[in-house]
Amino acid sequence: MPPLAGGSFRRRPAAGRPRRLPHPVVGIGRLIAGLERLLYDRLRSRRLGGLLLVVVTLSVAGAAAWGMLALAACWHPVVAALVAVWLAWTCLAVRELHRQSAIVVVHLAAGDLAGARRPSP
């Protein structure tokens, strides 16, 4: 594992999510929610809508990450490295994933499917 990615992954469970900084996964979630409304309402085929959803989501997320890294590299290689660590740290959301999935498990164990599907705080 590359040192920057390894450092981000090892630090992530202990540090948790930085609440002050914007979180890329939240932005991706909002993109997906908007695309679902747009595509599933307008397309007859849910399969085509799902395929377009995946392609557009991955393209936008990849382009945004590439753009941030390229812009940071224009300033200085150290800035690019810091942006790479930030992206890895926020996207390797091990602790947050565990917290969110535990909330879903509690709702499902209680037979509350609607509660499990609701966004958590």
Side-chain angles (χ1 to χ4, degrees), residues 17-19 21-33 90-91 93 96 100 120:
R17 179 168 75 96
R19 301 255 181 222
L21 297 174
H23 201 290
V25 176
V26 172
I28 293 168
R30 289 181 180 150
L31 173 67
I32 291 170
T90 56
C91 292
E96 187 69 12
Q100 295 293 331
S120 60

Side-chain angles (χ1 to χ4, degrees), residues 4 20-21 24 33 41-42 60 70-71 84 94-95 99 104 115 120:
L4 289 176
R20 305 181 301 283
L21 297 174
D41 288 347
R42 288 185 169 75
V60 169
L71 184 62
V94 176
R95 183 174 173 199
R99 188 180 79 78
V104 172
S120 60

Side-chain angles (χ1 to χ4, degrees), residues 7-119:
S8 295
F9 189 74
R10 281 190 295 273
R11 176 181 158 93
R12 180 69 193 170
R17 179 168 75 96
R19 301 255 181 222
R20 305 181 301 283
L21 297 174
H23 201 290
V25 176
V26 172
I28 293 168
R30 289 181 180 150
L31 173 67
I32 291 170
L35 286 172
E36 281 180 334
R37 283 189 302 274
L38 178 75
L39 294 172
Y40 291 155
D41 288 347
R42 288 185 169 75
L43 296 175
R44 239 176 250 245
S45 169
R46 287 188 61 82
R47 183 172 293 203
L48 177 61
L51 177 66
L52 287 172
L53 177 79
V54 169
V55 169
V56 171
T57 300
L58 292 177
S59 297
V60 169
W66 180 84
M68 288 191 311
L69 289 169
L71 184 62
C74 289
W75 283 334
H76 197 276
V78 173
V79 175
L82 291 173
V83 170
V85 167
W86 175 75
L87 283 169
W89 186 30
T90 56
C91 292
L92 294 172
V94 176
R95 183 174 173 199
E96 187 69 12
L97 177 61
H98 182 269
R99 188 180 79 78
Q100 295 293 331
S101 61
I103 294 169
V104 172
V105 167
V106 168
H107 284 289
L108 290 175
D112 182 14
L113 183 59
R117 290 180 172 167
R118 268 194 310 272

